């Protein structure tokens, strides 16, 4: 990848919405260790399973988040992409933008994970610090992030990880 067309930008300049999700506790949910047709992922600050800490039985749950979002556990700096609908535990920040899809989000999650060492309980990765985080992105001729390039690159990465030599 040619790094001469990359530019450092503030994260807030590429996102549409960033907010704290409605928080649920394990005690108020009926949780399973596996997914069924009537469950929804319970996303928390865990490092495991793409931040999914179980599957809640959806018996009229409130605060269901639409999928296609980047999430950050603000006190732990755990970062993931959630493709499907989910409900959230405490301290979960949801990031939305029109460029987000499975491929572009995984690219951004990787970049944000490279910055997470800066944040811990003493200086949590809260909404304001997330917005101010600077990341380097490939820039198109229009001086905006080159989302098509990023998506195609990540598709190639996805294909190459499945090759057997």
């Amino acid at each position: 990848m040619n790094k001469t067309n990359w530019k450092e930008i503030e994260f807030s300049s590429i996102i549409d919405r960033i907010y704290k999700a409605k928080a649920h506790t394990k005690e108020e949910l009926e949780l399973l260790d596996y997914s069924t047709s009537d469950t929804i992922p319970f996303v928390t600050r865990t490092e495991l399973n793409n931040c999914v800490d179980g599957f809640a039985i959806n018996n009229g749950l409130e605060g269901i988040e639409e999928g296609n979002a980047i999430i950050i556990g603000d006190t732990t700096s755990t970062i993931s992409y959630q493709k499907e609908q989910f409900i959230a535990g405490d301290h979960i920040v949801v990031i939305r933008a029109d460029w987000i899809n499975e491929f572009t989000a995984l690219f951004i999650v990787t970049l944000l994970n490279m910055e997470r060492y800066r944040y811990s309980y003493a200086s949590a990765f809260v909404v304001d610090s997330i917005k101010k985080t600077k990341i380097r992105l490939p820039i198109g001729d229009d001086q905006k992030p080159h989302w098509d390039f990023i998506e195609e690159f990540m598709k190639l990465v996805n294909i190459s990880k499945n090759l057997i030599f």
Side-chain angles (χ1 to χ4, degrees):
M1 297 177 82
N2 182 353
K3 295 201 183 232
T4 59
N5 295 328
W6 289 57
K7 181 179 173 186
E8 187 173 80
I9 62 170
E10 192 169 273
F11 195 55
S12 65
S13 71
I14 62 169
I15 58 177
D16 297 334
R17 290 179 35 220
I18 183 170
Y19 58 92
K20 295 279 286 264
K22 175 180 174 27
H24 296 271
T25 64
K26 283 185 173 184
E27 294 75 30
E28 70 186 62
L29 303 170
E30 290 182 66
L31 284 177
L32 302 175
D33 292 333
Y34 52 89
S35 176
T36 67
S37 62
D38 65 341
T39 61
I40 188 164
F42 178 49
V43 174
T44 67
R45 295 169 284 162
T46 181
E47 293 271 355
L48 306 173
N49 303 319
N50 196 42
C51 298
V52 175
D53 201 13
F55 297 88
I57 295 174
N58 187 358
N59 51 5
L61 292 170
E62 293 184 17
I64 294 176
E65 290 285 343
E66 289 301 314
N68 199 42
I70 294 172
I71 68 104
I72 297 177
D74 64 6
T75 57
T76 55
S77 303
T78 47
I79 306 165
S80 71
Y81 168 69
Q82 297 301 319
K83 186 175 185 176
E84 306 296 331
Q85 286 184 329
F86 63 94
I87 59 169
D90 200 17
H91 296 278
I92 298 295
V93 176
V94 179
I95 298 166
R96 301 202 179 272
D98 62 356
W99 52 263
I100 293 178
N101 63 42
E102 181 178 3
F103 300 102
T104 56
L106 291 176
F107 187 88
I108 297 299
V109 165
T110 301
L111 296 178
L112 291 173
N113 272 317
M114 293 169 63
E115 296 298 316
R116 75 182 275 202
Y117 73 93
R118 300 176 194 275
Y119 305 98
S120 65
Y121 283 97
S123 58
F125 208 16
V126 294
V127 170
D128 286 339
S129 58
I130 294 167
K131 287 179 179 180
K132 292 176 185 173
T133 297
K134 294 193 186 301
I135 57 175
R136 291 185 66 78
L137 291 174
I139 302 298
D141 293 336
D142 60 358
Q143 297 304 304
K144 295 180 180 176
H146 198 321
W147 298 115
D148 292 337
F149 173 80
I150 292 168
E151 183 173 349
E152 292 306 312
F153 173 76
M154 292 303 289
K155 285 178 181 176
L156 287 173
V157 168
N158 192 42
I159 290 169
S160 67
K161 77 177 183 183
N162 295 316
L163 293 177
I164 300 173
F165 293 97

